[in-house]
Amino acid sequence: MLDHDFKTLNAFIQTARHGSFTAAAQTLGLTPAAVSKSVGQLEQSLNTRLFSRTTRSLSLTAEGDYFLNRAETALALLQQAAEHIGGSEAQYAGSVRLSVSNVIGRNLVLPCLKTLQQRYPQLDIELDFEDKIIDFVKDGFDLVIRGGHIADSSMVSRELAPLHLCLAASPDYLAQYGVPRRVEDLPQHRMIIRRFANCKYSPWYFRQDGTLLPFEAARRALTFSDPEACAMAAADGCGIAEIPVYLALPYLQAGRLKILLGDCHHAGDYRLVLQYAHRNLPPRVRAVAEHLFAHLSQHAGLHTAPQALAAFAA
């Protein structure tokens, strides 16, 4: 009976999240007919219609929307109870979909997937490397990792780490063009600039007389939309770049980059966050979330304070 309740509620929840029986079936590993049948049985047992159906669309009724919020909480509690009764070795099986930006995915998430697989071999992990804003329900994601100024209050956001920035250039570049000692020296140098998807350039900020002042390069030697490309180009001697510390640290440790203007450069107020739609996560999703949190909470590049970079100054 309990297994039947799990499947029925999950069929309804996945259908509501994805907006179709077909997409829900793909997530659950069932046929669309089986999902539709489960939802129909649930509606019959509740004696109410949870979805408005047409030949082209499927949408929640007011009763369905009300029931969805409580069904998600109820299912999570039932799964937690079953997990507790089954013991600490309970199976974690099923799919977990994660959206993550390209650079964060490559450098921070991929390195922890092997241990995640070893710990939870029955999980199927799907990663989408996207930099766009996503809709949890429409796009069918369980978790999202994003970096920057996170302002989406509709999501549950859990901070993983700060995202500090540093200004750096290679020893070869500095030997050829000189070391800038003041902000006023920067216009004489070759700049590697980050451009965002909205075509805005990322200004650099410096502390002067207790005030944060932006600096925008009038002359750009190189412009990239990817911060990892900025780090690589700087390490190759192409110019001065503002780089996330977690990307710069391996180059600094290898002697391929040097920190510039660390006494006045503003390291930024950015955060790396893990987001999800609801606080009551299914065990399979919670297992992935906790694994990512544990892994990233020990990542040296994410937890190196800007003050600690003084040893790498030019």
Side-chain angles (χ1 to χ4, degrees), residues 22 27 62 82 124 138 152 157 185 187 191 198 200 207 215 226 239 258 260 268 281 305:
T22 300
T27 299
D124 297 321
K138 180 179 178 181
D152 188 350
S157 294
D185 296 335
M191 304 296 179
N198 58 8
K200 290 185 178 180
R207 294 180 297 272
F215 172 84
D226 180 55
K258 291 292 183 181
L260 303 174
L281 296 176

Side-chain angles (χ1 to χ4, degrees), residues 20-248:
S20 78
F21 294 127
T22 300
Q26 291 174 345
T27 299
L28 296 170
L30 301 171
T31 65
V35 175
S36 177
K37 182 179 179 181
S38 290
V39 172
Q41 290 173 340
L42 180 60
E43 289 179 319
Q44 186 175 1
S45 67
L46 294 172
N47 195 29
T48 190
R49 186 170 289 276
L50 300 173
F51 291 101
S52 295
R53 300 166 174 83
T54 69
T55 56
R56 293 187 177 182
S57 67
L58 188 72
S59 60
L60 285 168
T61 62
E63 293 80 6
D65 186 61
Y66 176 86
F67 187 73
L68 174 63
N69 293 327
R70 286 144 186 85
E72 287 178 319
T73 300
L75 182 60
L77 291 173
L78 283 170
Q79 289 172 322
Q80 290 172 17
E83 175 189 344
H84 177 76
I85 293 172
S88 59
E89 299 300 321
Q91 290 289 331
Y92 291 85
S95 65
V96 177
R97 296 194 68 214
L98 174 65
S99 173
V100 60
S101 68
N102 278 286
V103 65
I104 291 172
R106 289 194 303 266
N107 291 276
L108 299 178
V109 178
L110 283 179
C112 73
L113 292 185
K114 182 178 180 180
T115 53
L116 179 62
Q117 285 184 314
Q118 291 171 339
R119 186 171 182 182
Y120 303 108
Q122 300 302 314
L123 283 180
D124 297 321
I125 309 299
E126 180 181 342
L127 267 70
D128 268 29
F129 292 88
E130 298 280 358
D131 292 311
K132 65 181 182 181
I133 297 174
I134 63 102
D135 184 314
F136 269 88
V137 175
K138 180 179 178 181
D139 299 328
F141 288 105
D142 298 296
L143 300 169
V144 171
I145 293 181
R146 287 290 184 266
H149 292 298
I150 309 300
D152 188 350
S153 59
S154 66
M155 298 293 104
V156 179
S157 294
R158 183 177 182 184
E159 183 170 341
L160 297 167
L163 281 178
H164 295 307
L165 302 172
C166 63
L167 208 63
S170 73
D172 289 344
Y173 172 87
L174 296 173
Q176 182 176 356
Y177 293 95
V179 178
R181 298 299 180 186
R182 305 175 304 155
V183 176
E184 291 77 11
D185 296 335
L186 289 177
Q188 305 168 27
H189 285 267
R190 303 177 67 84
M191 304 296 179
I192 302 171
I193 302 298
R194 169 103 184 268
R195 178 178 55 77
F196 292 99
N198 58 8
C199 295
K200 290 185 178 180
Y201 295 98
S202 176
W204 302 346
Y205 285 90
F206 295 91
R207 294 180 297 272
Q208 293 185 336
D209 299 323
T211 302
L212 280 181
L213 298 176
F215 172 84
E216 296 195 31
R219 174 170 168 261
R220 307 180 187 98
L222 291 170
T223 301
F224 297 107
S225 62
D226 180 55
E228 191 171 19
C230 294
M232 295 172 67
D236 285 341
C238 295
I240 299 173
E242 186 178 64
I243 309 166
V245 171
Y246 75 89
L247 292 176

Side-chain angles (χ1 to χ4, degrees), residues 273-284:
V273 301
L274 179 67
Q275 293 185 307
Y276 36 93
H278 306 281
R279 294 190 180 278
N280 294 311
L281 296 176
R284 60 185 168 80

